Amino acid sequence: MRRAVLIAVGVLVGFLACRTTQPPGTENREPIEAPAQREEIQTVPNEPPGTGEPLTAPDSGTMP
């Protein structure tokens, strides 16, 4: 009996947790910006990458 109650509570909590928080009708709305106003495509630069060697001197991202 206890197992059935725990399973029922788990299913109920899962159902309530998975509900959407968006108001009704949201899926039918138009985007704020027009598709023509998107950012330009960003590409990878033609410059070769740096060396693959480990850092020998500390920089701003390493701890001593």
Side-chain angles (χ1 to χ4, degrees):
M1 178 69 181
R2 186 181 300 169
R3 186 178 295 170
V5 171
L6 288 175
I7 291 173
V9 168
V11 169
L12 179 64
V13 168
F15 173 74
L16 293 175
C18 293
R19 288 184 12 186
T20 182
T21 58
Q22 296 179 349
T26 304
E27 64 274 359
N28 298 328
R29 293 190 180 166
E30 294 293 324
I32 295 174
E33 295 180 3
Q37 296 176 348
R38 294 183 183 165
E39 291 184 23
E40 295 179 13
I41 297 175
Q42 298 178 359
T43 58
V44 178
N46 290 332
E47 302 158 357
T51 62
E53 301 171 2
L55 296 174
T56 55
D59 69 349
S60 61
T62 59
M63 298 290 290

